[in-house]
Amino acid sequence: MITVIGSLNMDLVIQMADFPQQGETVLGQQFQTSPGGKGANQAIAAARLGSNVTMIGCVGDDRFGHTLRTVLEQEHIDTTSLLTAPESTGIANILVHHKDNRIIVVPGANYKLEPTHLDAVKDVITQSQMVILQLEIPMETTAHAIKLCKEANVPVLLNPAPAANFDMRWMDDITYLTPNEIECAQLFGNDFDQTLEKYPNKLIITLGRDGARYFDGEYPIHVPGYMTKAVDTTGAGDTFNGALAYALVEGQSLDEAVYFANIAASLAVEQLSAQGGMPTLSKVYARMAGFDE
């Protein structure tokens, strides 16, 4: 079983021809709502591949919260540990102009997920084969989750986004850290080779279409990505993390798991929205075999 502890948001996406200047009103071209939040995204990515997934997080008692809970349940994700708070469900307001975007996140109920709630569902966490974390919930809650996992010897995959919420003291107690290049530079500086050697088989830097890098204890490893025509890269990193967790829990080696995750992410970017293109296991294996369904 994989347990995801993290955020659930409703994405409010506005397509526009021009960004408004201060004090200016412009007409948008298109509006849509899309379920999101890095925690929910990664949970769905793992579940769609076949993992038994439990989601621990917090939503509001409102329409968005009810929708996000229903979406998880439709993906066969266990939501019995999902808390409902009086605050509004978290949202991300995404303004899209051609290939540029500006995002405003209001955490809302996500920041009501407290350490005491994790204690209440401790058995779920400690019986997990792996716990996935991101950084869109309170830092003290993330720290407590890592502590519970350490005590129970449960592997932790932490995706440090946003990187500003990462505490370097966690490095000794997590199993895998998966920053992208920007996040890695924010955390460790720009000397990636030296940093990778410092954290063998733990630090995995995602490179988008170029794949991912890590150090295996003897040699630097570059696992290439799959070249595809991206339609929407939103959620590609979340797909990578969910797929990586799935593959590792299934007993794949780190090299095999990173390759598997790269393939899953390549499929995800071929569809619109963060969750819309997250692939099933059969689609990943079809691409790995050299043909697509």
Side-chain angles (χ1 to χ4, degrees):
M1 180 183 74
I2 292 174
T3 296
V4 180
I5 305 173
S7 60
L8 304 96
N9 291 329
M10 184 63 76
D11 294 344
L12 312 179
V13 185
I14 301 173
Q15 304 275 349
M16 56 184 56
D18 297 290
F19 285 129
Q21 303 299 313
Q22 183 174 356
E24 181 185 14
T25 298
V26 300
L27 291 178
Q29 297 172 309
Q30 185 178 352
F31 171 77
Q32 67 182 42
T33 59
S34 177
K38 296 190 72 64
N41 289 347
Q42 292 175 18
I44 287 176
R48 206 166 282 177
L49 293 166
S51 291
N52 179 12
V53 178
T54 294
M55 180 78 213
I56 298 176
C58 188
V59 295
D61 186 13
D62 52 25
R63 182 167 59 89
F64 287 160
H66 299 160
T67 298
L68 293 175
R69 185 184 291 270
T70 298
V71 167
L72 293 178
E73 291 170 351
Q74 289 173 342
E75 298 285 349
H76 308 292
I77 293 170
D78 187 342
T79 62
T80 55
S81 300
L82 190 60
L83 188 68
T84 299
E87 281 72 16
S88 298
T89 298
I91 64 100
N93 186 206
I94 306 171
L95 307 180
V96 181
H97 172 238
H98 297 302
K99 295 184 178 181
D100 192 11
N101 63 61
R102 299 179 185 181
I103 303 175
I104 303 170
V105 175
V106 181
N110 288 307
Y111 270 32
K112 294 302 176 180
L113 184 67
E114 299 178 351
T116 53
H117 179 58
L118 301 190
D119 289 333
V121 294
K122 180 178 177 180
D123 288 347
V124 173
I125 296 170
T126 58
Q127 293 171 15
S128 301
Q129 294 171 280
M130 181 170 290
V131 166
I132 306 177
L133 293 165
Q134 324 78 35
L135 300 176
E136 294 182 333
I137 59 176
M139 289 181 66
E140 59 268 25
T141 306
T142 301
H144 193 59
I146 293 170
K147 176 177 177 289
L148 293 177
C149 290
K150 180 183 180 181
E151 292 172 351
N153 199 32
V154 175
V156 173
L157 189 160
L158 195 154
N159 178 220
N165 291 342
F166 184 75
D167 188 331
M168 290 300 299
R169 291 175 295 182
W170 298 338
M171 282 303 295
D172 290 340
D173 297 331
I174 62 177
T175 315
Y176 305 102
L177 186 75
T178 57
N180 61 28
E181 291 175 283
I182 295 172
E183 292 157 353
C184 189
Q186 290 174 328
L187 294 174
F188 303 106
N190 293 313
D191 190 344
F192 290 176
D193 291 336
Q194 182 179 359
T195 303
L196 285 168
E197 290 186 20
K198 186 177 180 181
Y199 300 107
N201 297 311
K202 173 177 287 192
L203 177 62
I204 304 159
I205 305 173
T206 59
L207 310 171
R209 64 185 300 168
D210 293 328
R213 295 176 60 192
Y214 68 97
F215 185 76
D216 72 355
E218 295 185 30
Y219 303 103
I221 305 296
H222 174 229
V223 182
Y226 182 92
M227 294 298 103
T228 187
K229 185 176 181 179
V231 174
D232 184 356
T233 59
T234 308
D238 294 332
T239 302
F240 178 94
N241 281 280
L244 181 67
Y246 166 84
L248 290 168
V249 165
E250 289 297 306
Q252 295 186 26
S253 69
L254 184 57
D255 187 66
E256 293 170 332
V258 172
Y259 175 67
F260 179 92
N262 282 342
I263 294 295
S266 76
L267 286 158
V269 302
E270 294 175 352
Q271 303 291 330
L272 291 173
S273 84
Q275 298 174 7
M278 290 176 172
T280 60
L281 186 61
S282 62
K283 289 184 177 180
V284 175
Y285 280 147
R287 178 155 290 180
M288 291 174 69
F291 60 92
D292 292 337
E293 289 186 328

